[in-house]
Amino acid sequence: MLDSIDNHILQRLSQNSRISYTDLAKEVGLSGVAVKERIDRLVNQGIIEQFSIVINAERLGKKISAYLELEVEPAHLDEILESLKANERVVVLYEMTGPCLLHVHYLVEDLDEVDRFMHESIYSLKGILRAQNQILLKRHKNQDGLNI
């Protein structure tokens, strides 16, 4: 079970995963070693899955952020998943409930690449019943993880 110190550590790491053990220790009133041990325990328990950064894709030339909803034939789900997981343009891939089985977030340089992605990576797949593409216009909030 998590205590208030664990919750504080998780909250601060979700805001800034680069915070030092020393700075975090000062905030929670423990030693740096104790904070490291708590973080290691949270990792070992699977509560912290990974430490990551948020990259501004647009500054790297990926000006189009698009979301694709795919309805697929169940018999072809595994091969479609494997193909999409291997695709370098795909950054998020979820299997969902409801009429749309797969939710795909992908990043590309321009509209021509959207067209290439759809034709080469989606329409060519066996078992796609419906594909609905949505292009992000403006991001107002971007938060990974969970508010503690």
Side-chain angles (χ1 to χ4, degrees):
M1 191 46 88
L2 300 181
D3 62 17
S4 63
I5 293 174
D6 289 334
N7 285 332
H8 184 90
I9 289 170
L10 289 171
Q11 182 65 37
R12 291 295 284 126
L13 288 173
S14 71
Q15 294 167 350
N16 176 10
S17 64
R18 292 184 53 167
I19 189 170
S20 71
Y21 295 136
T22 304
D23 290 343
L24 201 45
K26 287 177 188 173
E27 288 185 25
V28 297
L30 297 175
S31 70
V33 171
V35 167
K36 181 187 180 322
E37 288 173 354
R38 282 179 177 255
I39 292 172
D40 289 345
R41 178 177 47 80
L42 293 167
V43 169
N44 290 333
Q45 290 176 337
I47 293 169
I48 296 175
E49 291 183 352
Q50 68 181 9
F51 296 88
S52 64
I53 60 174
V54 176
I55 297 172
N56 185 323
E58 190 171 327
R59 295 210 177 185
L60 294 176
K62 304 294 184 184
K63 294 183 179 7
I64 304 286
S65 179
Y67 296 85
L68 178 62
E69 294 177 347
L70 294 176
E71 188 174 343
V72 304
E73 292 178 17
H76 297 284
L77 178 61
D78 289 338
E79 68 188 68
I80 292 169
L81 283 170
E82 290 308 312
S83 176
L84 292 173
K85 285 194 292 189
N87 191 305
E88 66 183 25
R89 295 172 178 132
V90 174
V91 294
V92 176
L93 176 59
Y94 293 124
E95 188 173 344
M96 309 287 285
T97 61
C100 182
L101 191 59
L102 296 180
H103 177 83
V104 183
H105 178 197
Y106 66 97
L107 301 170
V108 294
E109 293 179 10
D110 53 32
L111 290 174
D112 288 337
E113 196 175 351
V114 169
D115 186 59
R116 280 193 304 279
F117 173 76
M118 293 304 294
H119 282 87
E120 295 169 4
S121 303
I122 302 302
Y123 299 145
S124 63
L125 292 173
K126 193 174 192 177
I128 299 290
L129 298 174
R130 184 179 64 83
Q132 183 175 345
N133 223 347
Q134 299 174 339
I135 294 177
L136 177 70
L137 296 177
K138 186 174 185 180
R139 181 180 358 180
H140 294 277
K141 182 177 180 179
N142 186 40
Q143 175 183 326
D144 276 342
L146 179 66
N147 283 330
I148 305 299

